[in-house]
Amino acid sequence: MKFPRISERASRFTESVIRGMSIEASKYDAVNLAQGMPDFPAPRAIKDAACRAIQEDVNQYAITWGARELRHAIAEHSAWHLGLDVDPEAEITVTCGSTEAMLVALLAVINPGDEVILSQPFYENYWPDCVLAGATPRFVPVRPPGWKFDPDELAAAFNDHTKAIVLCNPNNPTGAVFTREELEAIAALCRKWDVLAITDEIYEHILYEGRTHTAIATLDGMRDRSITISGMSKTYAVTGWRIGTITASPELTRSFRQVHDFVSIGAAAPLQQAGAVAYRMPRSYYVELAADYQARRDRLSKALWEVGFAFAPPEGAYYIMARIDAFGVEDDVAFAHHLVRDIGVATVPGSSFSRDPSLGRGYVRFCFCKRDETLDLAAERLRSLQVVI
Protein backbone atom coordinates (compact mmCIF):
# COMPACT_ATOMS: atom_id res chain seq x y z
CA MET A 1 0.00 0.00 0.00
CA LYS A 2 1.05 3.59 -0.59
CA PHE A 3 -0.05 4.66 2.88
CA PRO A 4 -0.05 2.79 6.21
CA ARG A 5 -3.44 1.39 7.15
CA ILE A 6 -3.27 2.68 10.72
CA SER A 7 -2.92 6.37 11.53
CA GLU A 8 0.09 7.60 13.45
CA ARG A 9 -2.26 8.89 16.17
CA ALA A 10 -4.02 5.58 16.69
CA SER A 11 -0.72 3.69 16.80
CA ARG A 12 0.55 5.79 19.72
CA PHE A 13 -1.67 4.23 22.38
CA THR A 14 -3.08 0.83 23.24
CA GLU A 15 -6.45 -0.43 24.42
CA SER A 16 -7.63 0.54 27.89
CA VAL A 17 -5.80 -1.29 30.67
CA ILE A 18 -8.76 -0.75 33.01
CA ARG A 19 -11.27 -2.33 30.65
CA GLY A 20 -8.73 -5.04 29.88
CA MET A 21 -8.51 -5.96 33.55
CA SER A 22 -12.31 -6.21 33.66
CA ILE A 23 -12.11 -8.75 30.85
CA GLU A 24 -9.48 -10.63 32.86
CA ALA A 25 -11.79 -10.54 35.89
CA SER A 26 -14.57 -12.20 33.89
CA LYS A 27 -12.19 -14.79 32.48
CA TYR A 28 -10.90 -15.85 35.90
CA ASP A 29 -14.11 -15.29 37.88
CA ALA A 30 -12.31 -12.67 39.95
CA VAL A 31 -13.81 -9.95 42.13
CA ASN A 32 -13.66 -6.87 39.90
CA LEU A 33 -12.05 -4.05 41.88
CA ALA A 34 -10.47 -2.76 38.65
CA GLN A 35 -13.18 -0.84 36.81
CA GLY A 36 -15.13 1.88 38.60
CA MET A 37 -18.63 0.57 38.04
CA PRO A 38 -20.94 -0.02 41.03
CA ASP A 39 -22.40 -3.48 41.56
CA PHE A 40 -25.35 -2.11 43.56
CA PRO A 41 -28.64 -0.73 42.17
CA ALA A 42 -29.19 2.78 40.90
CA PRO A 43 -31.88 4.79 42.74
CA ARG A 44 -35.37 3.46 42.04
CA ALA A 45 -36.79 6.89 41.17
CA ILE A 46 -34.27 7.33 38.36
CA LYS A 47 -34.83 3.86 36.91
CA ASP A 48 -38.61 4.36 37.01
CA ALA A 49 -38.23 7.68 35.19
CA ALA A 50 -36.21 5.99 32.43
CA CYS A 51 -38.78 3.24 32.03
CA ARG A 52 -41.62 5.78 31.88
CA ALA A 53 -39.78 7.77 29.22
CA ILE A 54 -39.36 4.68 27.04
CA GLN A 55 -43.01 3.67 27.46
CA GLU A 56 -44.08 7.23 26.64
CA ASP A 57 -42.09 6.97 23.39
CA VAL A 58 -39.29 9.36 24.23
CA ASN A 59 -37.27 7.24 21.84
CA GLN A 60 -36.14 9.59 19.09
CA TYR A 61 -33.30 12.11 18.93
CA ALA A 62 -33.23 14.69 21.67
CA ILE A 63 -31.91 18.17 20.91
CA THR A 64 -28.30 17.58 19.90
CA TRP A 65 -26.78 19.47 22.81
CA GLY A 66 -29.18 18.03 25.40
CA ALA A 67 -32.85 17.78 26.26
CA ARG A 68 -34.19 21.08 27.58
CA GLU A 69 -35.52 19.69 30.86
CA LEU A 70 -32.21 17.99 31.64
CA ARG A 71 -30.19 21.13 30.91
CA HIS A 72 -32.41 23.16 33.22
CA ALA A 73 -32.06 20.53 35.97
CA ILE A 74 -28.25 20.60 35.55
CA ALA A 75 -28.30 24.40 35.87
CA GLU A 76 -30.35 24.17 39.08
CA HIS A 77 -27.86 21.64 40.46
CA SER A 78 -24.90 23.86 39.52
CA ALA A 79 -26.47 26.80 41.34
CA TRP A 80 -26.86 25.11 44.71
CA HIS A 81 -23.93 22.69 44.55
CA LEU A 82 -21.20 24.68 42.80
CA GLY A 83 -22.40 28.23 43.30
CA LEU A 84 -22.40 28.73 39.53
CA ASP A 85 -25.19 30.67 37.84
CA VAL A 86 -25.37 28.84 34.51
CA ASP A 87 -27.52 29.62 31.46
CA PRO A 88 -28.99 26.23 30.46
CA GLU A 89 -29.68 27.48 26.94
CA ALA A 90 -26.17 28.75 26.17
CA GLU A 91 -23.67 27.22 28.61
CA ILE A 92 -24.47 23.50 28.95
CA THR A 93 -23.77 20.65 26.52
CA VAL A 94 -24.96 17.10 27.23
CA THR A 95 -22.64 14.42 25.83
CA CYS A 96 -22.33 10.63 25.66
CA GLY A 97 -20.62 10.39 29.01
CA SER A 98 -17.85 12.52 30.49
CA THR A 99 -15.42 10.55 28.31
CA GLU A 100 -16.88 12.13 25.18
CA ALA A 101 -17.07 15.47 26.99
CA MET A 102 -13.30 15.52 27.53
CA LEU A 103 -12.53 14.59 23.92
CA VAL A 104 -15.04 17.14 22.57
CA ALA A 105 -13.54 19.88 24.75
CA LEU A 106 -10.02 19.16 23.52
CA LEU A 107 -11.03 18.82 19.87
CA ALA A 108 -12.82 22.15 20.06
CA VAL A 109 -9.98 24.20 21.57
CA ILE A 110 -6.71 22.60 20.46
CA ASN A 111 -4.63 23.64 17.45
CA PRO A 112 -1.42 21.90 16.31
CA GLY A 113 1.44 22.88 18.60
CA ASP A 114 -0.78 23.71 21.59
CA GLU A 115 0.44 22.23 24.85
CA VAL A 116 -1.82 20.65 27.48
CA ILE A 117 -0.62 20.07 31.04
CA LEU A 118 -1.51 16.69 32.55
CA SER A 119 -0.71 15.39 36.01
CA GLN A 120 1.02 12.03 36.45
CA PRO A 121 -0.65 9.74 37.37
CA PHE A 122 -3.70 10.63 35.25
CA TYR A 123 -6.94 8.91 34.30
CA GLU A 124 -5.88 6.76 31.38
CA ASN A 125 -8.12 8.42 28.76
CA TYR A 126 -6.58 11.89 29.05
CA TRP A 127 -3.32 11.28 27.22
CA PRO A 128 -4.96 9.48 24.24
CA ASP A 129 -7.51 12.31 24.11
CA CYS A 130 -4.64 14.78 23.78
CA VAL A 131 -3.09 12.67 21.02
CA LEU A 132 -6.39 12.48 19.11
CA ALA A 133 -6.87 16.24 19.44
CA GLY A 134 -3.34 16.95 18.23
CA ALA A 135 -2.12 18.45 21.50
CA THR A 136 1.39 18.22 22.88
CA PRO A 137 1.10 16.98 26.47
CA ARG A 138 3.36 18.22 29.26
CA PHE A 139 3.39 15.96 32.30
CA VAL A 140 3.78 17.20 35.86
CA PRO A 141 4.00 14.59 38.64
CA VAL A 142 1.85 14.51 41.76
CA ARG A 143 3.51 12.63 44.56
CA PRO A 144 2.43 10.66 47.62
CA PRO A 145 1.51 10.65 50.39
CA GLY A 146 -0.91 13.45 49.45
CA TRP A 147 -0.57 13.17 45.67
CA LYS A 148 -0.03 16.92 45.30
CA PHE A 149 1.81 19.09 42.78
CA ASP A 150 5.14 20.64 43.64
CA PRO A 151 4.28 24.33 43.06
CA ASP A 152 7.58 25.09 41.35
CA GLU A 153 7.34 22.09 39.02
CA LEU A 154 3.80 23.04 38.07
CA ALA A 155 4.69 26.68 37.44
CA ALA A 156 7.62 25.62 35.24
CA ALA A 157 5.27 23.67 32.93
CA PHE A 158 3.37 26.80 31.87
CA ASN A 159 4.65 28.75 28.88
CA ASP A 160 3.50 30.68 25.81
CA HIS A 161 2.44 27.44 24.09
CA THR A 162 0.23 26.23 26.96
CA LYS A 163 -3.42 26.12 25.90
CA ALA A 164 -4.97 24.16 28.76
CA ILE A 165 -4.45 22.23 31.96
CA VAL A 166 -6.53 19.11 32.61
CA LEU A 167 -7.44 18.40 36.25
CA CYS A 168 -9.47 15.56 37.77
CA ASN A 169 -10.96 16.67 41.08
CA PRO A 170 -11.67 14.57 43.15
CA ASN A 171 -8.95 12.59 41.51
CA ASN A 172 -8.95 9.29 39.70
CA PRO A 173 -6.73 7.33 40.30
CA THR A 174 -5.22 8.84 43.48
CA GLY A 175 -8.25 9.84 45.56
CA ALA A 176 -6.72 13.27 46.25
CA VAL A 177 -8.92 16.37 46.50
CA PHE A 178 -7.64 19.82 45.60
CA THR A 179 -8.10 22.36 48.37
CA ARG A 180 -9.37 25.83 47.56
CA GLU A 181 -5.87 27.17 48.23
CA GLU A 182 -4.34 24.73 45.71
CA LEU A 183 -6.95 25.62 43.12
CA GLU A 184 -6.27 29.34 43.69
CA ALA A 185 -2.59 28.74 42.89
CA ILE A 186 -3.51 26.88 39.69
CA ALA A 187 -6.00 29.60 38.76
CA ALA A 188 -3.31 32.26 39.18
CA LEU A 189 -1.11 30.41 36.66
CA CYS A 190 -4.04 30.09 34.24
CA ARG A 191 -4.70 33.82 34.45
CA LYS A 192 -1.00 34.68 34.07
CA TRP A 193 -0.54 32.56 30.93
CA ASP A 194 -4.08 32.87 29.52
CA VAL A 195 -4.70 29.13 29.90
CA LEU A 196 -7.97 27.19 29.96
CA ALA A 197 -8.72 24.94 32.95
CA ILE A 198 -10.48 21.73 31.86
CA THR A 199 -11.73 20.03 35.02
CA ASP A 200 -13.15 16.52 35.22
CA GLU A 201 -15.43 16.76 38.27
CA ILE A 202 -17.34 13.51 37.82
CA TYR A 203 -16.71 12.57 41.49
CA GLU A 204 -17.92 15.96 42.78
CA HIS A 205 -20.27 14.47 45.39
CA ILE A 206 -17.94 11.72 46.66
CA LEU A 207 -15.81 13.36 49.35
CA TYR A 208 -14.87 12.27 52.86
CA GLU A 209 -14.47 13.66 56.38
CA GLY A 210 -16.77 16.59 55.60
CA ARG A 211 -14.73 17.92 52.67
CA THR A 212 -16.56 20.18 50.25
CA HIS A 213 -16.12 20.44 46.50
CA THR A 214 -14.78 23.62 44.92
CA ALA A 215 -15.13 24.18 41.19
CA ILE A 216 -12.23 26.18 39.77
CA ALA A 217 -14.79 28.01 37.61
CA THR A 218 -16.03 29.80 40.74
CA LEU A 219 -12.66 31.44 41.45
CA ASP A 220 -11.84 35.01 40.46
CA GLY A 221 -11.17 35.42 36.76
CA MET A 222 -11.88 31.76 35.97
CA ARG A 223 -15.54 31.75 34.91
CA ASP A 224 -14.84 32.29 31.21
CA ARG A 225 -11.62 30.26 31.06
CA SER A 226 -13.00 27.13 32.77
CA ILE A 227 -14.48 24.04 31.14
CA THR A 228 -16.31 22.00 33.78
CA ILE A 229 -16.95 18.36 32.90
CA SER A 230 -19.16 16.01 34.90
CA GLY A 231 -22.02 13.58 34.40
CA MET A 232 -24.42 11.10 35.93
CA SER A 233 -22.29 7.95 36.02
CA LYS A 234 -20.74 8.07 39.49
CA THR A 235 -23.24 10.15 41.45
CA TYR A 236 -26.26 8.08 40.45
CA ALA A 237 -24.60 4.67 39.86
CA VAL A 238 -25.49 4.59 36.16
CA THR A 239 -22.12 4.22 34.45
CA GLY A 240 -23.76 2.46 31.49
CA TRP A 241 -26.15 5.30 30.72
CA ARG A 242 -23.41 7.54 29.30
CA ILE A 243 -24.81 10.96 30.19
CA GLY A 244 -22.03 13.54 30.50
CA THR A 245 -22.04 17.32 30.80
CA ILE A 246 -19.87 20.27 29.79
CA THR A 247 -20.43 23.66 31.39
CA ALA A 248 -18.59 26.62 29.89
CA SER A 249 -18.99 30.14 28.51
CA PRO A 250 -21.35 30.66 25.54
CA GLU A 251 -18.38 31.18 23.19
CA LEU A 252 -16.79 27.85 24.12
CA THR A 253 -20.14 26.07 24.33
CA ARG A 254 -20.97 26.93 20.71
CA SER A 255 -17.81 25.14 19.61
CA PHE A 256 -18.42 22.17 21.90
CA ARG A 257 -21.92 21.73 20.50
CA GLN A 258 -20.64 21.78 16.93
CA VAL A 259 -18.01 19.12 17.61
CA HIS A 260 -20.35 17.00 19.74
CA ASP A 261 -22.99 17.06 17.00
CA PHE A 262 -20.63 15.46 14.49
CA VAL A 263 -19.00 13.07 16.99
CA SER A 264 -22.15 11.46 18.40
CA ILE A 265 -25.26 13.56 17.51
CA GLY A 266 -26.59 13.16 21.03
CA ALA A 267 -27.01 11.11 24.18
CA ALA A 268 -29.89 8.65 24.68
CA ALA A 269 -33.18 10.57 24.82
CA PRO A 270 -35.09 8.52 27.46
CA LEU A 271 -32.08 8.51 29.76
CA GLN A 272 -31.80 12.27 29.45
CA GLN A 273 -35.41 12.58 30.61
CA ALA A 274 -34.57 10.40 33.60
CA GLY A 275 -31.51 12.58 34.18
CA ALA A 276 -33.75 15.55 34.86
CA VAL A 277 -35.18 13.55 37.77
CA ALA A 278 -31.71 12.58 38.97
CA TYR A 279 -30.32 16.11 39.11
CA ARG A 280 -33.34 17.14 41.19
CA MET A 281 -32.86 14.45 43.83
CA PRO A 282 -33.23 15.81 47.38
CA ARG A 283 -30.02 17.14 48.90
CA SER A 284 -30.18 14.43 51.56
CA TYR A 285 -29.40 11.94 48.77
CA TYR A 286 -25.94 13.45 48.29
CA VAL A 287 -25.20 13.46 52.02
CA GLU A 288 -26.10 9.77 52.24
CA LEU A 289 -24.07 9.04 49.10
CA ALA A 290 -20.88 10.43 50.61
CA ALA A 291 -21.50 8.66 53.92
CA ASP A 292 -22.12 5.32 52.19
CA TYR A 293 -18.94 5.66 50.16
CA GLN A 294 -16.91 6.62 53.20
CA ALA A 295 -18.10 3.42 54.89
CA ARG A 296 -17.03 1.41 51.83
CA ARG A 297 -13.68 3.18 51.77
CA ASP A 298 -13.08 2.38 55.43
CA ARG A 299 -14.16 -1.24 54.99
CA LEU A 300 -11.73 -1.92 52.14
CA SER A 301 -8.95 0.20 53.64
CA LYS A 302 -8.98 -1.82 56.85
CA ALA A 303 -8.78 -5.08 54.91
CA LEU A 304 -5.94 -3.86 52.69
CA TRP A 305 -3.90 -2.54 55.63
CA GLU A 306 -4.31 -5.86 57.43
CA VAL A 307 -3.03 -7.71 54.36
CA GLY A 308 0.05 -5.47 54.06
CA PHE A 309 -0.75 -2.78 51.47
CA ALA A 310 0.41 0.75 52.30
CA PHE A 311 -1.48 3.95 51.45
CA ALA A 312 -3.09 7.04 52.94
CA PRO A 313 -6.90 7.01 52.97
CA PRO A 314 -8.30 8.68 49.84
CA GLU A 315 -9.91 12.09 50.35
CA GLY A 316 -12.49 11.63 47.59
CA ALA A 317 -13.60 9.53 44.60
CA TYR A 318 -13.67 5.75 45.11
CA TYR A 319 -10.16 4.52 44.44
CA ILE A 320 -7.16 3.46 46.52
CA MET A 321 -3.64 3.61 45.09
CA ALA A 322 -1.82 1.08 47.25
CA ARG A 323 1.89 0.32 47.46
CA ILE A 324 2.92 -3.27 46.79
CA ASP A 325 6.43 -3.21 48.34
CA ALA A 326 5.48 -5.46 51.22
CA PHE A 327 4.96 -8.42 48.90
CA GLY A 328 8.49 -8.35 47.55
CA VAL A 329 7.50 -7.39 44.02
CA GLU A 330 8.60 -4.55 41.77
CA ASP A 331 6.59 -5.22 38.60
CA ASP A 332 3.09 -3.84 39.10
CA VAL A 333 1.80 -5.34 35.85
CA ALA A 334 2.92 -8.86 36.77
CA PHE A 335 1.55 -8.41 40.29
CA ALA A 336 -1.85 -7.24 38.98
CA HIS A 337 -2.03 -10.29 36.73
CA HIS A 338 -1.07 -12.51 39.68
CA LEU A 339 -3.86 -10.97 41.73
CA VAL A 340 -6.55 -11.54 39.09
CA ARG A 341 -5.46 -15.00 37.95
CA ASP A 342 -4.18 -16.61 41.15
CA ILE A 343 -5.83 -14.67 43.98
CA GLY A 344 -9.12 -13.84 42.29
CA VAL A 345 -9.14 -10.05 42.68
CA ALA A 346 -8.85 -7.66 39.73
CA THR A 347 -6.95 -4.39 40.17
CA VAL A 348 -5.22 -1.94 37.80
CA PRO A 349 -1.41 -1.67 37.66
CA GLY A 350 -0.27 1.79 38.73
CA SER A 351 2.08 2.27 35.78
CA SER A 352 -0.89 2.41 33.39
CA PHE A 353 -1.74 5.85 34.72
CA SER A 354 1.57 7.48 33.77
CA ARG A 355 3.60 8.06 30.62
CA ASP A 356 6.61 7.47 32.87
CA PRO A 357 5.87 3.93 34.12
CA SER A 358 8.39 4.24 36.96
CA LEU A 359 6.08 6.72 38.73
CA GLY A 360 3.39 4.06 39.19
CA ARG A 361 5.34 0.84 39.18
CA GLY A 362 5.09 0.35 42.93
CA TYR A 363 1.28 0.60 43.02
CA VAL A 364 -1.98 -1.04 42.10
CA ARG A 365 -5.35 0.71 42.11
CA PHE A 366 -8.39 -0.75 43.87
CA CYS A 367 -11.91 0.62 43.44
CA PHE A 368 -14.50 0.30 46.20
CA CYS A 369 -17.80 1.21 44.51
CA LYS A 370 -19.09 -2.20 45.52
CA ARG A 371 -21.50 -3.92 47.91
CA ASP A 372 -20.16 -4.89 51.33
CA GLU A 373 -20.29 -8.57 50.42
CA THR A 374 -18.21 -7.91 47.30
CA LEU A 375 -15.56 -6.04 49.30
CA ASP A 376 -15.57 -8.76 51.96
CA LEU A 377 -15.06 -11.50 49.35
CA ALA A 378 -12.12 -9.55 47.90
CA ALA A 379 -10.66 -9.14 51.39
CA GLU A 380 -11.00 -12.86 52.07
CA ARG A 381 -9.15 -13.75 48.88
CA LEU A 382 -6.40 -11.18 49.44
CA ARG A 383 -5.56 -12.69 52.83
CA SER A 384 -3.68 -15.44 51.02
CA LEU A 385 -1.01 -12.88 50.00
CA GLN A 386 2.30 -13.20 51.83
CA VAL A 387 4.24 -10.23 53.17
CA VAL A 388 7.97 -10.82 52.61
CA ILE A 389 9.54 -7.69 54.11
Side-chain angles (χ1 to χ4, degrees):
M1 287 186 66
K2 183 178 179 181
F3 302 107
R5 289 184 182 271
I6 307 300
S7 73
E8 185 273 336
R9 287 179 179 177
S11 65
R12 290 176 63 188
F13 50 85
T14 62
E15 295 177 350
S16 161
V17 176
I18 296 172
R19 269 79 79 187
M21 292 306 294
S22 281
I23 293 170
E24 289 283 288
S26 296
K27 186 188 301 183
Y28 292 97
D29 195 26
V31 179
N32 189 351
L33 302 189
Q35 192 167 2
M37 50 185 179
D39 68 348
F40 48 83
R44 179 66 180 268
I46 300 172
K47 293 187 291 186
D48 287 347
C51 293
R52 283 196 306 272
I54 292 170
Q55 293 298 334
E56 291 168 3
D57 275 326
V58 184
N59 295 314
Q60 311 309 322
Y61 296 124
I63 296 172
T64 299
W65 53 83
R68 183 182 185 278
E69 194 64 17
L70 173 57
R71 285 183 283 108
H72 280 257
I74 292 166
E76 293 166 18
H77 174 269
S78 294
W80 71 259
H81 175 52
L82 301 179
L84 279 178
D85 184 14
V86 177
D87 180 354
E89 300 302 328
E91 297 185 306
I92 293 173
T93 307
V94 178
T95 60
C96 296
S98 60
T99 301
E100 191 213 347
M102 180 62 71
L103 181 58
V104 162
L106 289 167
L107 288 171
V109 303
I110 293 300
N111 290 308
D114 289 344
E115 294 186 1
V116 174
I117 296 172
L118 298 177
S119 66
Q120 284 196 116
F122 51 82
Y123 173 57
E124 67 171 357
N125 281 42
Y126 297 161
W127 175 68
D129 286 346
C130 286
V131 172
L132 291 171
T136 300
R138 288 180 65 92
F139 301 100
V140 181
V142 291
R143 296 186 176 89
W147 300 104
K148 305 296 184 182
F149 286 118
D150 176 281
D152 294 332
E153 284 184 317
L154 181 61
F158 284 75
N159 61 68
D160 290 333
H161 299 289
T162 308
K163 186 65 168 286
I165 180 171
V166 173
L167 303 171
C168 184
N169 184 40
N171 189 267
N172 174 13
T174 69
V177 174
F178 286 107
T179 65
R180 187 180 185 89
E181 181 180 13
E182 290 165 335
L183 290 172
E184 291 278 12
I186 295 169
L189 290 168
C190 290
R191 292 191 297 267
K192 175 181 177 180
W193 293 98
D194 192 23
V195 167
L196 295 168
I198 306 175
T199 55
D200 181 347
E201 303 184 15
I202 193 74
Y203 302 97
E204 59 190 326
H205 285 289
I206 304 176
L207 301 104
Y208 309 123
E209 281 90 29
R211 291 178 175 85
T212 56
H213 179 67
T214 300
I216 200 169
T218 62
L219 304 183
D220 288 346
M222 293 302 294
R223 181 67 172 80
D224 290 337
R225 67 173 70 255
S226 294
I227 301 166
T228 306
I229 291 171
S230 192
M232 292 180 60
S233 291
K234 315 301 182 180
T235 300
Y236 307 108
V238 287
T239 62
W241 284 22
R242 315 312 300 136
I243 305 293
T245 64
I246 313 175
T247 302
S249 69
E251 176 191 13
L252 290 169
T253 296
R254 282 192 293 272
S255 293
F256 298 154
R257 289 177 174 183
Q258 286 177 308
V259 175
H260 162 68
D261 186 7
F262 290 105
V263 167
S264 68
I265 301 178
L271 303 184
Q272 290 193 57
Q273 185 153 317
V277 173
Y279 277 96
R280 291 177 172 133
M281 293 284 279
R283 298 189 192 183
S284 60
Y285 170 81
Y286 303 99
V287 175
E288 293 168 6
L289 177 80
D292 288 347
Y293 269 117
Q294 184 165 327
R296 294 185 184 101
R297 179 201 69 169
D298 294 347
R299 192 182 199 94
L300 183 60
S301 293
K302 182 175 183 293
L304 294 179
W305 284 325
E306 288 175 349
V307 169
F309 291 96
F311 57 92
E315 300 169 336
Y318 48 57
Y319 305 99
I320 294 171
M321 280 282 275
R323 289 202 64 87
I324 60 178
D325 313 57
F327 307 102
V329 294
E330 296 180 355
D331 186 336
D332 62 308
V333 175
F335 186 65
H337 282 101
H338 167 62
L339 289 179
V340 69
R341 294 171 182 175
D342 304 322
I343 305 298
V345 177
T347 63
V348 183
S351 60
S352 67
F353 300 107
S354 294
R355 285 296 292 156
D356 178 359
S358 67
L359 294 175
R361 189 148 285 146
Y363 296 86
V364 293
R365 190 198 73 172
F366 295 87
C367 72
F368 52 88
C369 52
K370 308 294 179 181
R371 295 170 295 151
D372 286 352
E373 48 266 46
T374 303
L375 298 176
D376 290 345
L377 176 58
E380 179 183 340
R381 293 182 176 185
L382 288 168
R383 290 190 187 103
S384 64
L385 287 170
Q386 298 295 315
V387 173
V388 298
I389 56 172

